[in-house]
């Protein structure tokens, strides 16, 4: 090919792809064609929406809470597990319903070509661990604490990267497991320093029993649960207009059945006489009585129309509310079918909370006390610093020219030389 024709064709290819212009750009860490100066200056440091850094003071509070919660779970006999952030999507979405599917980030594995998911909830992973890795015949008490990622934030001020703490019991169908999980959940909030909390109880079996025998498709069922959650009696009547009379009356009664313990007595007369309803009401009373005995300061309420997670929970469920929080600070309940996809259906009950959200309403912790030490090439100084750190003290050595503005600590002591010995003195 004639050289001038080659040059013209190469120039046209360069204009089409941008490569010709890219060759003329000055060398540097950025390609200014794709990274304009204004972008570099105003946007390079920004994070995605509802994603945030945790700065030192808050990070210390979050970490202190994390350790306290894990210690509380260990004191009940729970064993720590650490599931991976990434799994095959079928495992992550096992038995969890449509809502978790929408919250899960998905990507293609470059090694296998299979679809993977970044966990939005750790419970399916722990169910897999119980079913296939531990495979115990008896009870397994497991806890975990790690980040999860959501495609959408649950509220305008919420994060899409919660630090999820949870505790779960596998292998015991009796009410004792429910009692222990609620006890631990309330104990964890006490560890966080939350004084006045409200325990809200409900049971997924009640709405199912009211609708037993009623032919209803998925869309209609979702509409029923949405109307119950909104306490919208008019919408509920419209959705259930062609239901049998007993089911309609039961649903309409549920809208009014929320409040204190008198709700349980009212439910026994207002709801259909079904064995599942009778059993659920009796167990809710036991759960409430035990919670008040174990934690006398807790207030207990009931909301029998609350069917949050109706496709997930199989029995009693609860939420805990605290002053300063716009939503529940902990949620849990019984979900006996969660391990079915792994070929081992075991009774299961547990709860979870976001440690970051908990830190926002927990009492602020005072800065840690620390010792200021000079910087010098002195064997005695080095020995004294190492001994103090071995005892658990925080010792910060001040370098030449260091302004000493570590605001995360309160320096109440100094390490000084006194007659050839290094000693700690109050400042």
């Amino acid at each position: 090919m004639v050289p001038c024709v080659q040059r013209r064709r190469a120039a046209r290819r360069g204009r089409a792809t941008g490569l010709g212009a890219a060759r003329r750009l000055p060398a540097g860490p950025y390609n200014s064609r794709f990274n304009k100066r204004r972008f570099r200056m105003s946007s390079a440091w920004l994070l995605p929406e509802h994603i945030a850094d945790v700065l030192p003071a808050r990070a210390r509070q979050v970490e202190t809470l994390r350790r306290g919660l894990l210690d509380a779970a260990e004191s009940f006999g729970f064993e720590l597990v650490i599931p991976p952030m990434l799994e095959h999507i079928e495992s992550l979405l096992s038995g969890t319903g449509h809502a978790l599917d929408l919250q899960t980030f998905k990507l293609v594995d470059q090694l296998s070509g299979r679809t993977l998911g970044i966990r939005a909830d750790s419970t399916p992973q722990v169910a897999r661990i119980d079913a296939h890795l531990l495979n115990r015949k008896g009870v397994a008490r497991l806890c975990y604490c790690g980040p999860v990622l959501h495609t959408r934030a649950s509220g305008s001020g919420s994060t899409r990267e919660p630090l999820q703490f949870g505790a779960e019991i596998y292998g015991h169908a009796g009410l004792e497991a429910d009692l222990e999980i609620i006890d631990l959940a309330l104990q964890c909030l006490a560890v966080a320093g939350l004084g006045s909390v409200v325990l809200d109880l409900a049971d997924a079996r009640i709405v199912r029993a009211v609708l037993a025998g009623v032919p209803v498709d998925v869309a209609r069922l979702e509409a029923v649960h949405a109307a119950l959650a909104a306490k919208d009696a008019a919408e509920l009547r419209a959705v259930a207009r062609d239901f049998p009379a007993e089911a309609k009356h039961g649903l309409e009664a549920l809208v009014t059945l929320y409040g204190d313990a008198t709700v349980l007595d009212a439910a026994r007369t207002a709801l259909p006489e079904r064995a599942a309803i009778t059993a659920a009401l009796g167990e809710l009373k036991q759960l409430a009585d035990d919670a008040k005995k174990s934690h006398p300061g807790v207030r207990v309420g009931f909301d029998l129309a609350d069917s949050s997670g109706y496709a997930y929970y199989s029995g009693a469920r609860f939420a805990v509310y605290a002053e300063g929080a716009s939503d529940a600070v902990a949620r849990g309940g019984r979900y006996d079918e969660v391990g079915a996809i792994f070929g081992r259906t075991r009774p299961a009950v547990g709860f979870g909370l976001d440690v970051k959200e908990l830190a926002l309403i927990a009492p602020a912790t005072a800065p840690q006390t620390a010792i200021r030490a000079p910087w010098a090439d002195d064997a005695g100084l080095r020995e004294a610093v190492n001994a103090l750190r071995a005892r658990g003290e925080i010792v910060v050595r001040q370098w030449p020219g260091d302004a000493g503005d570590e605001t995360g600590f309160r320096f109440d002591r100094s390490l000084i030389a006194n007659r050839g010995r290094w000693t700690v003195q109050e400042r």
Side-chain angles (χ1 to χ4, degrees):
M1 186 178 290
V2 180
C4 64
V5 175
Q6 289 178 318
R7 287 195 296 272
R8 284 197 298 272
R9 289 187 177 181
R12 286 198 296 270
R13 286 197 298 270
R15 286 195 295 273
T17 62
L19 295 178
R23 284 196 296 270
R24 293 192 297 271
L25 292 174
Y30 292 98
N31 182 336
S32 62
R33 173 177 289 274
F34 303 107
N35 297 277
K36 300 297 185 184
R37 180 180 296 275
R38 62 178 179 272
F39 173 80
R40 297 202 304 269
M41 295 299 291
S42 64
S43 302
W45 58 274
L46 294 179
L47 293 173
E49 293 182 48
H50 298 281
I51 299 291
D53 296 304
V54 183
L55 301 183
R58 180 55 52 80
R60 182 167 65 85
Q61 185 179 21
V62 168
E63 175 60 13
T64 300
L65 270 177
R66 186 192 70 85
R67 295 179 186 181
L69 296 174
L70 288 174
D71 287 345
E74 186 178 33
S75 73
F76 277 65
F78 285 75
E79 298 173 276
L80 178 66
V81 293
I82 306 177
M85 278 290 295
L86 201 65
E87 281 208 41
H88 293 126
I89 196 68
E90 311 88 64
S91 297
L92 285 179
L93 301 182
S94 61
T96 57
H98 184 58
L100 194 64
D101 186 10
L102 296 177
Q103 281 284 58
T104 301
F105 278 96
K106 303 172 182 69
L107 64 153
V108 175
D109 187 359
Q110 295 295 306
L111 297 180
S112 68
R114 293 180 62 180
T115 301
L116 306 179
I118 301 175
R119 67 181 180 210
D121 182 13
S122 297
T123 293
Q125 298 180 292
V126 180
R128 174 183 55 76
I129 289 172
D130 173 70
H132 282 289
L133 299 183
L134 296 180
N135 199 26
R136 295 174 181 171
K137 294 182 179 179
V139 171
R141 291 177 173 87
L142 305 176
C143 66
Y144 51 87
C145 189
V148 295
L149 194 63
H150 295 164
T151 56
R152 292 180 178 272
S154 59
S156 59
S158 300
T159 178
R160 291 196 292 163
E161 190 191 15
L163 180 60
Q164 186 185 43
F165 168 83
E168 306 185 6
I169 300 174
Y170 293 89
H172 189 74
L175 194 63
E176 296 83 2
D178 303 70
L179 294 168
E180 182 168 295
I181 277 292
I182 292 177
D183 188 12
L184 176 57
L186 295 175
Q187 182 60 35
C188 286
L189 299 182
V191 166
L194 302 188
S196 177
V197 298
V198 177
L199 173 66
D200 185 70
L201 295 170
D203 197 302
R205 293 171 294 180
I206 293 177
V207 176
R208 291 195 186 111
V210 169
L211 293 175
V214 179
V216 55
D217 58 27
V218 174
R220 180 78 70 90
L221 184 61
E222 290 180 351
V224 167
H225 285 287
L228 286 172
K231 303 290 189 292
D232 190 339
E235 176 65 17
L236 191 59
R237 282 194 294 271
V239 172
R241 60 186 177 277
D242 54 354
F243 285 7
E246 187 179 47
K248 283 196 294 186
H249 295 155
L251 291 174
E252 291 171 8
L254 281 173
V255 175
T256 66
L257 292 174
Y258 60 92
D260 58 20
T262 58
V263 165
L264 300 181
D265 296 327
R268 290 187 176 91
T269 58
L271 297 179
E273 292 186 12
R274 306 269 170 83
I277 294 177
T278 301
L281 294 175
E283 290 182 8
L284 287 176
K285 185 178 186 308
Q286 285 182 262
L287 293 173
D289 291 344
D290 185 81
K292 287 186 285 188
K293 289 176 184 176
S294 301
H295 303 269
V298 69
R299 291 178 290 161
V300 180
F302 303 87
D303 186 354
L304 303 189
D306 185 357
S307 54
S308 304
Y310 67 90
Y312 178 65
Y313 290 112
S314 60
R317 51 152 300 277
F318 64 91
V320 188
Y321 298 87
E323 186 176 352
S326 59
D327 198 2
V329 294
R331 293 184 183 275
R334 181 165 284 279
Y335 34 84
D336 289 340
E337 302 300 319
V338 70
I341 195 171
F342 303 114
R344 192 171 186 230
T345 302
R346 293 238 291 167
V349 60
F351 80 96
L353 57 82
D354 179 7
V355 183
K356 290 181 182 177
E357 291 289 335
L358 191 59
L360 291 176
I361 62 171
T365 55
Q368 289 178 289
T369 59
I371 299 170
R372 177 77 71 185
W375 180 265
D377 187 13
D378 183 286
L381 174 60
R382 189 177 297 111
E383 183 179 346
V385 168
N386 290 340
L388 288 168
R389 288 172 175 167
R391 296 208 304 260
E393 295 282 3
I394 297 171
V395 183
V396 179
R397 301 184 70 175
Q398 188 166 1
W399 302 330
D402 179 13
D405 59 351
E406 297 93 343
T407 56
F409 304 104
R410 181 170 64 87
F411 292 96
D412 60 346
R413 289 156 295 166
S414 297
L415 189 60
I416 64 173
N418 184 12
R419 296 179 182 180
R421 297 182 59 189
W422 290 95
T423 59
V424 176
Q425 289 191 1
E426 300 291 329
R427 298 184 69 173

